[in-house]
Amino acid sequence: MSSDGEPTPFEVQDLIPIIDYSLLTSGSANDHAKAVQDIGKACEDWGCFMLVNHGVPETLIQEMMDMSAAFFNMTTDEKLEFEAHGVLDPIRFSAGLNLVNPNKDTLWREYLRLIVHPDFNCPYKPPGFSELASEYVKKTRAVAMELVKGVSESLGFEASYMNRELNLDASFQLLAINYYPSHVELDVSRGLMPHTDHGLLTLLCENGVPGLEVLRGGKWVGMGGVPNAFSVLNSDHLEIFSNGKYKSKLHRTVVTDERKRITLVNPNGPSLDTIVGPSSRLVDGEKRLPRYHPMKFSEYLECQTKLITAGKNALDEIGIPI
Ligand code: OGA
Ligand code: NI
């Protein structure tokens, strides 16, 4: 703050942008144009934003949080029924390497990853989980698809361009539920190492317990904490498709709060067989060279998993040095 109480330019610049979803869909051309402009600015300048007024009912979110807690509260044996290893396995539970005997030096997180589109998959228990999750992902998918239209327009294209080019009607959508136990349940460091996500945009909803951080100007900045808002992050394939204009956002999670943190995370990708490279409309002759090698999305996923294990970032590996 400056002495007269006005925020200094640095503080203003440090605030994560807030996008009002209702303006994007309101039907007023002026509101829509403003929302598209704000999305473009947020994607280019920050690589992330908070999304308010998204219309996904609070009660549905609360029920999903309760149901997720019920899933993770099942016994280890019950959860291990859903353990899987391949990135394309439709249902994947994991508690990392330290499920039984956690090592205090590693970051602890349990997760359940479900492929929810084009086909919907979910564990059959706890009772009612599948119905609830199906409703939740339909709602969040609609929001993500609308946002992608806004992103498409913000790049100067027609709203449907990215949908067509990336075959989003058959898009690969995940629901990843992350569970960071309470300090009382498990006395370990809880969090997630720095990484970028695959896909176009990731939508993240948290249970009110903070932890997400994004890298901004060499500093980690806390993200979240806006009631009833989603955190939205640019992901790798948005960076590739926009030929580097909308950078994928590096983020990590550090949970210091004693309470348990639960996040519902939706990475939204193209269809699995889409070959993603820089949009041909953003590349021409000598002036705007492509900065990434085209790669089939499913191959990228496999490759990313291997590279993460080796401590590398997939995007760095497929960028064309310029
Ligand atoms: C993810 C992720 C953050 C969180 O699942 O990719 O970044 O706080 N999650 O759960
Ligand atoms: Ni992530």
Side-chain angles (χ1 to χ4, degrees), residues 34-47:
K34 164 92 172 70
V36 166
Q37 195 186 19
D38 288 351
I39 288 174
K41 206 161 170 289
C43 286
E44 187 167 359
D45 183 23
W46 270 85

Side-chain angles (χ1 to χ4, degrees), residues 51-71:
L51 187 71
V52 296
N53 297 325
H54 47 67
V56 179
E58 253 181 272
T59 46
L60 178 60
I61 293 173
Q62 190 50 52
E63 282 168 0
M64 271 302 286
M65 291 295 177
D66 294 345
M67 186 61 87
S68 303
F71 176 86

Side-chain angles (χ1 to χ4, degrees), residues 297-309:
F297 185 51
S298 57
E299 280 165 19
Y300 188 96
L301 295 180
E302 304 274 2
C303 160
Q304 188 188 36
T305 310
K306 286 193 200 113
L307 288 166
I308 286 175
T309 317

Side-chain angles (χ1 to χ4, degrees), residues 200-220:
L200 297 169
L201 289 175
T202 293
L203 265 60
L204 180 147
C205 176
E206 65 188 13
N207 68 334
V209 175
L212 183 63
E213 296 181 349
V214 291
L215 195 64
R216 167 83 168 168
K219 280 192 317 185
W220 289 103

